[in-house]
Amino acid sequence: MQLTAPATGRNTARDHDGMAVASFVLGLVGLLVFNVVLGPVAIVLAAVALRHGTARRGRALLGLGLGVADLVVLAAFMQADNAISWSF
């Protein structure tokens, strides 16, 4: 007996498009707050979306770039303050 509906191609494609958009948004927000968490999450979501062939490839690439930028900003502020957290 099957309790859940089988995944259709349309739903999984929409999920991967959502991952691409989420990676972009999280990468953008991560430049300001919680970049130690949001940067890696944005990178992973973008990589999964790109691997599964999202229709929003540009957003996924931007999310990937912003996730990497989050980690670069974190590293720069850590170098300047000698601490994991930073503030304005």
Coordinates of all heavy atoms in Angstrom, one line a residue:
M1 N 0.8 -1.2 0.0 CA 0.0 0.0 0.0 C 0.9 1.2 0.0 O 1.8 1.4 0.8 CB -0.9 0.0 1.2 CG -1.8 1.1 1.3 SD -3.1 0.7 2.4 CE -3.1 2.1 3.5
Q2 N 0.6 2.2 -0.9 CA 1.4 3.4 -1.1 C 0.7 4.5 -0.4 O -0.4 4.8 -0.6 CB 1.6 3.7 -2.5 CG 2.6 4.8 -2.8 CD 2.8 4.9 -4.3 OE1 2.3 4.2 -5.1 NE2 3.7 5.9 -4.6
L3 N 1.4 5.2 0.5 CA 0.8 6.3 1.3 C 1.0 7.7 0.7 O 0.3 8.6 1.0 CB 1.4 6.3 2.7 CG 1.1 5.0 3.6 CD1 1.7 5.1 4.9 CD2 -0.4 4.8 3.7
T4 N 2.0 7.8 -0.1 CA 2.3 9.1 -0.8 C 2.2 9.0 -2.3 O 2.3 7.9 -2.8 CB 3.7 9.6 -0.4 OG1 4.7 8.6 -0.9 CG2 3.9 9.8 1.1
A5 N 1.9 10.1 -2.9 CA 1.8 10.1 -4.3 C 3.2 10.0 -5.0 O 4.1 10.6 -4.4 CB 1.1 11.4 -4.8
P6 N 3.3 9.4 -6.1 CA 4.6 9.3 -6.7 C 5.0 10.7 -7.2 O 4.2 11.5 -7.6 CB 4.4 8.3 -7.8 CG 3.0 8.3 -8.1 CD 2.3 8.6 -6.8
A7 N 6.3 11.0 -7.2 CA 6.8 12.3 -7.7 C 6.7 12.4 -9.2 O 7.1 11.4 -9.9 CB 8.2 12.5 -7.2
T8 N 6.1 13.4 -9.7 CA 6.0 13.6 -11.1 C 7.2 14.5 -11.6 O 7.8 15.2 -10.8 CB 4.7 14.3 -11.5 OG1 4.6 15.5 -10.9 CG2 3.5 13.4 -11.1
G9 N 7.4 14.5 -12.8 CA 8.5 15.4 -13.4 C 8.2 16.8 -13.2 O 9.1 17.6 -13.0
R10 N 7.0 17.2 -13.2 CA 6.6 18.6 -13.1 C 6.9 19.1 -11.6 O 7.5 20.2 -11.5 CB 5.2 18.8 -13.4 CG 4.7 20.3 -13.3 CD 3.3 20.4 -13.9 NE 2.9 21.8 -13.8 CZ 1.9 22.2 -13.1 NH1 1.2 21.4 -12.4 NH2 1.6 23.5 -13.0
N11 N 6.6 18.3 -10.7 CA 6.8 18.8 -9.3 C 8.3 18.8 -8.9 O 8.8 19.7 -8.3 CB 6.1 17.8 -8.3 CG 4.6 18.0 -8.3 OD1 4.1 19.1 -8.7 ND2 3.9 17.0 -7.9
T12 N 9.1 17.8 -9.4 CA 10.5 17.9 -9.1 C 11.2 19.0 -9.8 O 12.1 19.6 -9.3 CB 11.2 16.5 -9.5 OG1 10.9 16.2 -10.8 CG2 10.6 15.4 -8.6
A13 N 10.8 19.3 -11.0 CA 11.4 20.4 -11.8 C 11.1 21.7 -11.0 O 11.9 22.6 -10.9 CB 10.8 20.5 -13.2
R14 N 9.8 21.8 -10.5 CA 9.5 23.0 -9.7 C 10.3 23.1 -8.4 O 10.7 24.2 -8.0 CB 8.0 23.0 -9.5 CG 7.5 24.3 -8.9 CD 6.0 24.3 -8.8 NE 5.4 23.1 -8.3 CZ 4.2 22.9 -8.0 NH1 3.3 23.9 -8.2 NH2 3.8 21.7 -7.5
D15 N 10.5 22.0 -7.8 CA 11.3 22.0 -6.6 C 12.8 22.4 -6.9 O 13.3 23.2 -6.1 CB 11.4 20.5 -6.0 CG 10.1 20.1 -5.4 OD1 9.2 21.0 -5.2 OD2 9.9 18.9 -5.2
H16 N 13.3 22.0 -8.0 CA 14.7 22.4 -8.4 C 14.7 23.9 -8.7 O 15.7 24.6 -8.4 CB 15.3 21.6 -9.5 CG 15.4 20.1 -9.1 ND1 15.0 19.1 -9.9 CD2 15.8 19.6 -7.9 CE1 15.2 18.0 -9.2 NE2 15.7 18.2 -8.0
D17 N 13.7 24.4 -9.4 CA 13.6 25.8 -9.6 C 13.5 26.6 -8.3 O 14.1 27.7 -8.1 CB 12.4 26.2 -10.5 CG 12.5 25.7 -11.9 OD1 13.7 25.3 -12.3 OD2 11.5 25.6 -12.6
G18 N 12.8 26.1 -7.4 CA 12.7 26.7 -6.0 C 14.0 26.7 -5.3 O 14.3 27.7 -4.6
M19 N 14.8 25.6 -5.5 CA 16.1 25.6 -4.9 C 17.0 26.6 -5.5 O 17.8 27.3 -4.7 CB 16.7 24.2 -5.1 CG 16.2 23.1 -4.2 SD 17.1 21.6 -4.6 CE 16.1 20.4 -3.7
A20 N 16.9 26.9 -6.8 CA 17.7 27.9 -7.4 C 17.4 29.3 -6.9 O 18.3 30.1 -6.5 CB 17.5 27.8 -8.9
V21 N 16.1 29.6 -6.7 CA 15.7 30.9 -6.2 C 16.1 31.0 -4.7 O 16.6 32.1 -4.3 CB 14.2 31.1 -6.4 CG1 13.7 32.3 -5.7 CG2 13.8 31.1 -7.9
A22 N 15.9 29.9 -4.0 CA 16.3 30.0 -2.5 C 17.8 30.2 -2.4 O 18.2 30.9 -1.5 CB 15.8 28.7 -1.9
S23 N 18.6 29.6 -3.2 CA 20.0 29.8 -3.1 C 20.4 31.2 -3.4 O 21.2 31.8 -2.7 CB 20.8 28.8 -4.0 OG 20.6 29.2 -5.4
F24 N 19.7 31.8 -4.4 CA 20.0 33.3 -4.7 C 19.6 34.1 -3.5 O 20.4 35.0 -3.0 CB 19.2 33.7 -5.9 CG 19.2 35.1 -6.2 CD1 20.4 35.7 -6.6 CD2 18.1 35.9 -6.0 CE1 20.4 37.1 -6.9 CE2 18.1 37.3 -6.3 CZ 19.3 37.9 -6.7
V25 N 18.4 33.9 -2.9 CA 17.9 34.7 -1.8 C 18.8 34.5 -0.6 O 19.2 35.5 0.1 CB 16.5 34.4 -1.5 CG1 16.0 35.1 -0.2 CG2 15.6 34.9 -2.7
L26 N 19.1 33.3 -0.2 CA 20.0 33.0 0.9 C 21.4 33.6 0.8 O 22.0 34.1 1.7 CB 20.0 31.5 1.2 CG 18.7 30.9 1.7 CD1 18.9 29.4 1.9 CD2 18.3 31.6 3.0
G27 N 21.9 33.5 -0.5 CA 23.2 34.1 -0.7 C 23.2 35.6 -0.6 O 24.2 36.2 0.0
L28 N 22.1 36.2 -1.0 CA 22.0 37.7 -0.9 C 21.9 38.1 0.5 O 22.6 39.0 1.0 CB 20.8 38.1 -1.8 CG 20.7 39.6 -2.1 CD1 21.9 40.1 -2.9 CD2 19.5 39.9 -2.9
V29 N 21.0 37.4 1.3 CA 20.8 37.8 2.7 C 22.1 37.5 3.5 O 22.5 38.2 4.4 CB 19.6 37.0 3.2 CG1 19.5 37.2 4.8 CG2 18.3 37.5 2.6
G30 N 22.8 36.4 3.1 CA 24.0 36.0 3.8 C 25.1 37.0 3.7 O 26.0 37.0 4.5
L31 N 25.1 37.9 2.7 CA 26.1 39.0 2.7 C 26.0 39.9 3.9 O 27.0 40.5 4.3 CB 26.0 39.8 1.4 CG 26.5 39.0 0.1 CD1 26.1 39.9 -1.1 CD2 27.9 38.7 0.2
L32 N 24.8 40.0 4.5 CA 24.6 40.9 5.6 C 24.6 40.2 7.0 O 25.1 40.7 7.9 CB 23.3 41.6 5.4 CG 23.2 42.5 4.2 CD1 21.8 43.1 4.0 CD2 24.2 43.6 4.2
V33 N 23.9 39.0 7.0 CA 23.8 38.3 8.3 C 24.0 36.8 8.2 O 23.7 36.3 7.1 CB 22.4 38.6 9.0 CG1 22.2 40.0 9.4 CG2 21.3 38.2 8.0
F34 N 24.5 36.2 9.2 CA 24.6 34.7 9.3 C 25.3 34.1 8.1 O 24.9 33.1 7.6 CB 23.3 34.1 9.4 CG 22.5 34.4 10.7 CD1 21.3 35.0 10.7 CD2 23.1 34.2 11.9 CE1 20.6 35.3 11.8 CE2 22.5 34.5 13.1 CZ 21.2 35.1 13.1
N35 N 26.4 34.8 7.6 CA 27.0 34.3 6.4 C 27.8 33.0 6.6 O 28.0 32.2 5.7 CB 28.0 35.3 5.8 CG 28.9 35.9 6.8 OD1 28.9 35.6 7.9 ND2 29.7 36.8 6.3
V36 N 28.1 32.7 7.9 CA 28.7 31.4 8.2 C 27.8 30.2 8.0 O 28.2 29.1 7.7 CB 29.3 31.4 9.7 CG1 28.2 31.4 10.7 CG2 30.2 30.3 9.9
V37 N 26.5 30.5 8.0 CA 25.5 29.4 7.8 C 24.8 29.5 6.4 O 24.7 28.5 5.7 CB 24.3 29.5 8.9 CG1 23.2 28.5 8.6 CG2 24.9 29.3 10.3
L38 N 24.4 30.7 6.1 CA 23.7 30.9 4.8 C 24.6 30.7 3.6 O 24.1 30.3 2.5 CB 23.1 32.3 4.8 CG 22.0 32.5 5.8 CD1 21.4 33.9 5.7 CD2 20.9 31.5 5.8
G39 N 25.9 31.0 3.7 CA 26.8 30.9 2.5 C 26.9 29.4 2.1 O 26.6 29.1 0.9
P40 N 27.2 28.5 3.0 CA 27.2 27.1 2.6 C 25.9 26.5 2.2 O 25.8 25.7 1.2 CB 27.7 26.4 3.8 CG 28.5 27.4 4.6 CD 27.8 28.7 4.3
V41 N 24.8 27.0 2.8 CA 23.5 26.5 2.4 C 23.2 26.9 1.0 O 22.6 26.2 0.2 CB 22.4 27.0 3.4 CG1 21.0 26.7 2.9 CG2 22.6 26.3 4.7
A42 N 23.5 28.2 0.7 CA 23.3 28.7 -0.7 C 24.1 27.9 -1.7 O 23.6 27.6 -2.8 CB 23.6 30.2 -0.8
I43 N 25.3 27.6 -1.4 CA 26.2 26.8 -2.3 C 25.6 25.4 -2.5 O 25.5 25.0 -3.7 CB 27.6 26.7 -1.7 CG1 28.3 28.1 -1.8 CG2 28.4 25.7 -2.5 CD1 29.6 28.2 -1.0
V44 N 25.1 24.8 -1.5 CA 24.6 23.4 -1.6 C 23.3 23.4 -2.4 O 23.1 22.6 -3.3 CB 24.4 22.8 -0.2 CG1 23.5 21.5 -0.3 CG2 25.7 22.5 0.4
L45 N 22.4 24.4 -2.2 CA 21.1 24.4 -2.9 C 21.4 24.7 -4.4 O 20.8 24.1 -5.3 CB 20.2 25.5 -2.3 CG 19.5 25.2 -1.0 CD1 18.8 26.4 -0.5 CD2 18.6 24.0 -1.2
A46 N 22.3 25.6 -4.7 CA 22.6 25.9 -6.0 C 23.2 24.7 -6.8 O 22.9 24.5 -7.9 CB 23.6 27.1 -6.1
A47 N 24.1 24.0 -6.1 CA 24.8 22.9 -6.7 C 23.7 21.8 -7.0 O 23.8 21.2 -8.1 CB 25.8 22.3 -5.8
V48 N 22.8 21.5 -6.1 CA 21.7 20.5 -6.3 C 20.9 21.0 -7.5 O 20.5 20.2 -8.3 CB 20.9 20.3 -5.0 CG1 19.7 19.5 -5.3 CG2 21.8 19.6 -4.0
A49 N 20.5 22.2 -7.5 CA 19.6 22.7 -8.6 C 20.3 22.6 -9.9 O 19.7 22.2 -10.9 CB 19.2 24.2 -8.3
L50 N 21.6 23.0 -10.0 CA 22.3 22.9 -11.2 C 22.5 21.4 -11.7 O 22.4 21.1 -12.9 CB 23.7 23.6 -11.1 CG 23.6 25.1 -11.1 CD1 25.0 25.7 -10.7 CD2 23.2 25.7 -12.4
R51 N 22.8 20.6 -10.7 CA 23.0 19.2 -11.0 C 21.7 18.5 -11.6 O 21.8 17.7 -12.5 CB 23.4 18.4 -9.8 CG 23.7 16.9 -10.0 CD 24.2 16.3 -8.8 NE 24.4 14.9 -8.9 CZ 25.5 14.3 -9.3 NH1 26.6 15.0 -9.6 NH2 25.6 13.0 -9.5
H52 N 20.6 18.9 -11.2 CA 19.3 18.4 -11.6 C 18.7 19.1 -12.8 O 17.6 18.8 -13.2 CB 18.3 18.2 -10.5 CG 18.7 17.2 -9.5 ND1 18.6 15.9 -9.7 CD2 19.2 17.3 -8.3 CE1 19.0 15.2 -8.7 NE2 19.4 16.1 -7.8
G53 N 19.4 20.1 -13.3 CA 19.0 20.8 -14.5 C 17.8 21.7 -14.3 O 16.8 21.6 -15.0
T54 N 18.0 22.7 -13.5 CA 16.9 23.6 -13.2 C 16.7 24.6 -14.4 O 17.6 24.8 -15.2 CB 17.2 24.5 -12.0 OG1 16.1 25.4 -11.8 CG2 18.5 25.3 -12.1
A55 N 15.5 25.0 -14.6 CA 15.2 26.0 -15.7 C 15.7 27.4 -15.3 O 15.9 28.2 -16.2 CB 13.7 26.1 -15.9
R56 N 16.0 27.6 -14.0 CA 16.5 28.9 -13.5 C 18.0 28.8 -13.3 O 18.5 29.1 -12.2 CB 15.7 29.3 -12.3 CG 14.2 29.5 -12.5 CD 13.5 29.9 -11.3 NE 12.1 30.0 -11.5 CZ 11.4 31.1 -11.6 NH1 12.1 32.2 -11.6 NH2 10.2 31.1 -11.8
R57 N 18.7 28.5 -14.3 CA 20.1 28.3 -14.2 C 20.9 29.5 -13.8 O 21.8 29.5 -13.0 CB 20.6 27.8 -15.6 CG 22.1 27.5 -15.6 CD 22.5 26.8 -16.9 NE 23.9 26.6 -17.0 CZ 24.6 25.7 -16.4 NH1 24.0 24.8 -15.7 NH2 25.9 25.6 -16.6
G58 N 20.4 30.7 -14.3 CA 21.0 32.0 -14.0 C 20.9 32.3 -12.5 O 21.9 32.7 -11.8
R59 N 19.7 32.0 -11.9 CA 19.6 32.2 -10.5 C 20.4 31.3 -9.7 O 21.0 31.7 -8.6 CB 18.1 32.1 -10.1 CG 17.2 33.1 -10.7 CD 16.8 34.1 -9.7 NE 16.2 35.2 -10.3 CZ 14.9 35.3 -10.5 NH1 14.1 34.3 -10.1 NH2 14.4 36.4 -11.1
A60 N 20.5 30.1 -10.1 CA 21.3 29.1 -9.4 C 22.8 29.5 -9.4 O 23.5 29.4 -8.4 CB 21.2 27.7 -10.0
L61 N 23.3 30.0 -10.6 CA 24.7 30.4 -10.7 C 24.9 31.7 -9.8 O 26.0 31.8 -9.2 CB 25.0 30.7 -12.1 CG 25.1 29.5 -13.0 CD1 25.3 29.9 -14.5 CD2 26.3 28.6 -12.6
L62 N 23.9 32.6 -9.8 CA 24.1 33.8 -8.9 C 24.1 33.3 -7.5 O 24.8 33.9 -6.6 CB 22.9 34.7 -9.2 CG 23.0 35.6 -10.4 CD1 21.8 36.4 -10.6 CD2 24.2 36.5 -10.3
G63 N 23.2 32.4 -7.1 CA 23.2 31.9 -5.7 C 24.5 31.2 -5.4 O 25.0 31.4 -4.3
L64 N 25.1 30.5 -6.3 CA 26.4 29.9 -6.1 C 27.5 30.9 -5.9 O 28.3 30.9 -4.9 CB 26.8 29.0 -7.3 CG 28.1 28.2 -7.2 CD1 28.0 27.2 -6.0 CD2 28.3 27.5 -8.5
G65 N 27.5 31.9 -6.7 CA 28.5 33.0 -6.6 C 28.3 33.8 -5.3 O 29.3 34.2 -4.6
L66 N 27.0 34.1 -4.9 CA 26.8 34.8 -3.7 C 27.1 34.0 -2.5 O 27.6 34.5 -1.5 CB 25.3 35.3 -3.6 CG 24.9 36.4 -4.5 CD1 23.4 36.6 -4.6 CD2 25.6 37.7 -4.1
G67 N 26.9 32.7 -2.5 CA 27.3 31.8 -1.4 C 28.8 31.8 -1.2 O 29.3 31.9 -0.1
V68 N 29.6 31.8 -2.3 CA 31.0 31.9 -2.2 C 31.4 33.3 -1.7 O 32.3 33.4 -0.9 CB 31.7 31.6 -3.6 CG1 33.2 31.9 -3.6 CG2 31.4 30.1 -4.0
A69 N 30.8 34.3 -2.2 CA 31.0 35.7 -1.7 C 30.8 35.8 -0.2 O 31.5 36.5 0.5 CB 30.2 36.7 -2.5
D70 N 29.7 35.1 0.3 CA 29.5 35.1 1.7 C 30.7 34.6 2.5 O 31.1 35.2 3.5 CB 28.3 34.2 2.0 CG 27.0 34.8 1.6 OD1 26.9 36.0 1.2 OD2 26.0 34.1 1.6
L71 N 31.2 33.5 2.0 CA 32.4 32.9 2.7 C 33.6 33.8 2.6 O 34.4 33.8 3.5 CB 32.6 31.5 2.2 CG 31.5 30.5 2.4 CD1 31.8 29.1 1.9 CD2 31.2 30.4 3.9
V72 N 33.8 34.5 1.4 CA 34.9 35.4 1.3 C 34.8 36.6 2.2 O 35.8 37.0 2.9 CB 35.0 35.8 -0.2 CG1 36.0 37.0 -0.4 CG2 35.4 34.7 -1.1
V73 N 33.6 37.1 2.3 CA 33.3 38.2 3.3 C 33.6 37.8 4.7 O 34.2 38.5 5.5 CB 31.9 38.8 3.1 CG1 31.5 39.7 4.2 CG2 31.8 39.5 1.8
L74 N 33.1 36.6 5.0 CA 33.4 36.0 6.4 C 34.9 35.9 6.6 O 35.3 36.3 7.7 CB 32.7 34.7 6.5 CG 32.9 34.0 7.9 CD1 32.3 34.8 9.0 CD2 32.4 32.6 7.8
A75 N 35.6 35.4 5.7 CA 37.0 35.2 5.9 C 37.7 36.6 6.0 O 38.6 36.7 6.8 CB 37.6 34.4 4.7
A76 N 37.3 37.6 5.2 CA 37.9 38.9 5.3 C 37.7 39.5 6.7 O 38.6 40.1 7.3 CB 37.4 39.8 4.2
F77 N 36.4 39.4 7.2 CA 36.1 40.0 8.5 C 36.8 39.2 9.6 O 37.2 39.8 10.6 CB 34.6 40.1 8.7 CG 34.0 41.3 8.0 CD1 33.2 41.2 6.9 CD2 34.3 42.6 8.5 CE1 32.7 42.3 6.3 CE2 33.8 43.7 7.9 CZ 33.0 43.6 6.8
M78 N 36.9 37.9 9.4 CA 37.6 37.1 10.5 C 39.1 37.5 10.5 O 39.7 37.6 11.6 CB 37.4 35.6 10.2 CG 36.1 35.0 10.5 SD 35.9 33.3 10.1 CE 37.4 32.6 10.6
Q79 N 39.6 37.8 9.4 CA 41.0 38.1 9.3 C 41.2 39.5 10.0 O 42.2 39.7 10.7 CB 41.5 38.2 7.9 CG 43.0 38.2 7.7 CD 43.6 36.8 8.1 OE1 42.9 35.8 8.2 NE2 44.9 36.9 8.2
A80 N 40.3 40.4 9.8 CA 40.4 41.8 10.3 C 40.2 41.8 11.8 O 40.8 42.5 12.5 CB 39.4 42.7 9.6
D81 N 39.2 41.0 12.3 CA 38.8 41.0 13.7 C 39.4 39.9 14.5 O 39.2 39.9 15.8 CB 37.3 41.0 13.8 CG 36.6 42.3 13.3 OD1 37.3 43.3 13.2 OD2 35.4 42.2 13.0
N82 N 39.9 38.9 13.9 CA 40.4 37.7 14.6 C 39.3 37.0 15.4 O 39.4 36.6 16.5 CB 41.6 38.0 15.5 CG 42.8 38.4 14.7 OD1 43.0 37.9 13.6 ND2 43.6 39.3 15.3
A83 N 38.0 37.0 14.8 CA 36.9 36.4 15.5 C 36.0 35.9 14.4 O 36.0 36.3 13.2 CB 36.1 37.5 16.3
I84 N 35.1 34.9 14.8 CA 34.2 34.3 13.8 C 33.0 35.3 13.5 O 32.6 35.3 12.4 CB 33.7 33.0 14.3 CG1 34.8 32.0 14.3 CG2 32.5 32.5 13.4 CD1 34.4 30.6 14.9
S85 N 32.6 36.0 14.4 CA 31.5 37.0 14.2 C 32.0 38.3 13.9 O 33.1 38.7 14.2 CB 30.6 37.0 15.4 OG 31.3 37.5 16.5
W86 N 31.2 39.1 13.3 CA 31.5 40.5 12.9 C 30.3 41.4 13.0 O 29.2 40.9 12.9 CB 32.2 40.6 11.6 CG 31.4 40.1 10.4 CD1 31.3 38.8 10.0 CD2 30.5 40.8 9.6 NE1 30.4 38.7 8.9 CE2 29.9 40.0 8.7 CE3 30.2 42.2 9.5 CZ2 29.0 40.4 7.7 CZ3 29.3 42.6 8.6 CH2 28.7 41.7 7.7
S87 N 30.5 42.7 13.1 CA 29.4 43.6 13.1 C 29.8 44.9 12.3 O 31.0 45.1 12.0 CB 29.0 44.0 14.5 OG 30.1 44.6 15.2
F88 N 28.8 45.7 12.0 CA 29.1 46.9 11.2 C 29.8 47.9 12.1 O 29.5 48.2 13.2 CB 27.8 47.5 10.7 CG 27.2 46.6 9.6 CD1 26.0 45.9 9.9 CD2 27.7 46.6 8.4 CE1 25.5 45.1 8.9 CE2 27.2 45.8 7.4 CZ 26.0 45.1 7.7

